[in-house]
Amino acid sequence: MIAVPQHDPVHALVPHTLEEPILGAQTGPIAGLSFMAKDLFAIEGRKTGNGNPESYAAAAPAARTAPVIVELLGAGASLTGITICDEFFYSVLGTNAHYGQPVNPRAGRFVTGGSSCGSAAATAAQMCDFALGSDTGGSIRVPASFCGLYGLRPSHGRIDMTGVTPMAPSFDTVGILAQDAALFRMVGQTLLQGVNRNVPIERLILATDIVSYCEASVDQLVWDTLEALSPALPEVEHANIAGEDIVAWRTAFATIQGFELQSTLLPFVKEHNVELGPGIKERFEIAAGVTPEAAEDARTLRRVVTAHLKSILQPGTAIVLPTTPTQPPERDIPDGASFVEYRTVTLQNTCLAGLAGLPQVSVPVGEAAGCPAGLSFIGWEGGDESLLDFAVGLSDLLKSD
C-alpha cells in the first residue's frame, strides 16, 4: 500500500508536501515503487514553491502536471512527497533559511549538499525508492556524492523540462537519485528521450588535473577505487583535461548562469522584494551585475570548451573524476562567506558536463574522511544509457569487492 510518509526523520519535506499520494499505474516497469520530487515540478492543481515561501504564496496552481512526473506515474511509480531544496536552487550546500536543513542520513555531522537536498535525504533515508531533482551546476551530483547515492545529470535536453521551474535554461536538467543501481537505470530508461548513442565504455580517462585540486582523502579514495576495480575496467589513461584553464571554465559557467538568472528568477525576486537567505542574497546580487558583454565573452569560451570536451568524448570514452573535491561542510555552520571557497572548488568539478551539455553519473564508491563520496563518469552526448549500464556494472563489482 503506497502512502505518504507520516514521519519525516530527516526533515526532507516542505510544509506544503502531499497529504495523499498521487498513485501510479497498477502495471509498468516501476509499478509499486514510490518517488519524491523537488519543489520545482508542476503538479496539476498544486502550487510550486521553488524553495521560497514568498514564491509559494504568489504562485498559481499548475494547470497541468510536468511530463516527467506523468511519465513516472504511467510507468507505475507513485508520488509520495515534495522535497526541500536550496532557495531558488542557487547553491550546492543543502540548506534553506526558510524551511530548514535536511539531515544527511549517511553522515549526520555534514550537510547533504544541494540544491536537491531533500530529495537526496529522503532517498538515503529510504523514505522513497528514488527521487527527482534538478541539476544546473551540480544539484544532483553533489548530494548524490555526499549521501552515498547514484545520481544522473543527463545530456542536456534528453529529459523533458516542461513544467519544471527554469533557473539557467542552457544548463538546466532533470536529474535522478537512487540507492539501487538497477532501479537507477530503470528510471533513467523510462525518462530519457531523443538520440540514444548506446555503446559500451571501452576507454576511461582520469582527469588528473581535476584530481590534483582535491582534498587528500578524496584523492586517496579515487586511486584506491580505481586500483581495486582495475582488473574489471578498461585500462585507465591519465590526462589533463583543462589544466590551469579550469578557473576560466568555472568562471564562464558562473557568469552564464548568473546572466540567465536575470531572465528567470531574478525578476520575481526584484518585483516582490523577496527576503533571501544568507549566501543566496549575495549570489543574486552578483547575478544582477553580470553584463551582456561578460556573458557573451563567457559564451565564446563555452563554445571552445564544448568543442574540446566533445573531441575527447567520442562514443565509448568516458572521463573519470571525483564528483566533489572535498568532504561536505559541517551542517551547523551557517551559509555565508565561509562557503565561497567550497562552492568555488566544487564548481571546478561540476562545470565540465554543464558547459558541454554532456551526461554524467555519480557512483557511490566509499567514504572520504568519514563521509560518503562519489566517483563520476562523464560520457558523450547521448551516451546516457551507456553510463547507466556502466553504473550497474560498477555496482556489481563494488558489491563483490
Side-chain angles (χ1 to χ4, degrees):
M1 181 76 175
I2 298 291
V4 298
Q6 298 303 305
H7 180 50
D8 182 5
V10 292
H11 192 62
L13 303 175
V14 292
H16 50 277
T17 189
L18 300 175
E19 296 181 1
E20 298 291 337
I22 300 176
L23 297 177
Q26 293 185 352
T27 60
I30 49 178
L33 300 181
S34 66
F35 72 101
M36 293 185 178
K38 186 176 181 175
D39 187 24
L40 79 168
F41 292 92
I43 299 171
E44 183 178 354
R46 294 183 54 84
K47 299 198 294 185
T48 300
N50 306 313
N52 177 274
E54 293 180 65
S55 177
Y56 180 77
R64 57 185 60 84
T65 300
V68 66
I69 301 285
V70 173
E71 285 287 336
L72 292 173
L73 295 171
S78 296
L79 179 62
T80 59
I82 309 300
T83 58
I84 291 173
C85 58
D86 287 64
E87 188 175 11
F88 291 119
F89 338 121
Y90 212 0
S91 181
V92 287
L93 193 58
T95 63
N96 188 302
H98 310 285
Y99 294 138
Q101 188 175 18
V103 175
N104 186 337
R106 303 286 174 80
R109 229 179 92 209
F110 299 105
V111 298
T112 60
S115 62
S116 303
C117 49
S119 291
T123 305
Q126 300 182 355
M127 293 172 62
C128 56
D129 294 298
F130 65 94
L132 289 184
S134 64
D135 189 308
T136 300
S139 292
I140 282 285
R141 292 163 287 166
V142 172
S145 180
F146 292 160
C147 294
L149 301 170
Y150 292 90
L152 169 69
R153 176 200 167 89
S155 298
H156 191 263
R158 286 210 62 198
I159 297 181
D160 195 340
M161 285 288 297
T162 305
V164 184
T165 303
M167 182 200 188
S170 75
F171 296 130
D172 292 345
T173 61
V174 171
I176 303 162
L177 293 159
Q179 285 198 62
D180 178 77
L183 173 59
F184 177 62
R185 176 171 62 183
M186 181 66 72
V187 175
Q189 291 170 336
T190 299
L191 296 178
L192 288 164
Q193 304 173 349
V195 176
N196 171 2
R197 303 167 73 192
N198 190 0
V199 300
I201 293 175
E202 297 178 340
R203 183 184 180 210
L204 295 175
I205 302 173
L206 178 66
T208 51
D209 49 342
I210 303 297
V211 175
S212 71
Y213 286 100
C214 294
E215 287 182 352
S217 59
V218 175
D219 179 296
Q220 191 62 51
L221 180 63
V222 170
W223 295 109
D224 290 348
T225 301
L226 292 177
E227 182 179 0
L229 298 178
S230 61
L233 293 178
E235 183 175 353
V236 179
E237 304 172 26
H238 297 174
N240 286 339
I241 301 300
E244 294 181 357
D245 290 340
I246 191 61
V247 174
W249 293 15
R250 177 197 75 214
T251 302
F253 182 99
T255 300
I256 297 167
Q257 182 186 34
F259 188 72
E260 293 187 8
L261 192 82
Q262 295 178 11
S263 301
T264 55
L265 299 171
L266 185 60
F268 175 84
V269 169
K270 283 185 169 181
E271 180 182 348
H272 293 265
N273 195 26
V274 174
E275 184 178 348
L276 298 169
I280 306 298
K281 177 178 182 290
E282 289 76 12
R283 287 194 287 287
F284 265 86
E285 291 171 349
I286 292 170
V290 177
T291 65
E293 294 76 17
E296 187 51 43
D297 288 345
R299 287 169 176 158
T300 298
L301 178 56
R302 181 183 187 180
R303 289 189 285 271
V304 173
V305 173
T306 298
H308 172 65
L309 291 175
K310 288 186 175 181
S311 70
I312 296 170
L313 289 165
Q314 298 299 309
T317 298
I319 292 174
V320 187
L321 71 165
T323 306
T324 51
T326 67
Q327 67 175 180
E330 295 189 17
R331 61 176 284 113
D332 293 332
I333 303 173
D335 192 0
S338 62
F339 289 114
V340 171
E341 181 64 18
Y342 157 73
R343 283 189 292 268
T344 298
V345 297
T346 298
L347 190 56
Q348 290 184 177
N349 283 51
T350 60
C351 72
L352 279 70
L355 285 167
L358 298 173
Q360 180 174 341
V361 295
S362 179
V363 175
V365 294
E367 290 191 351
C371 183
L375 192 62
S376 266
F377 301 85
I378 302 174
W380 56 97
E381 188 173 14
D384 309 63
E385 287 85 354
S386 298
L387 291 177
L388 293 172
D389 289 341
F390 194 71
V392 172
L394 284 179
S395 172
D396 293 340
L397 290 170
L398 290 165
K399 288 175 183 175
S400 64
D401 184 44

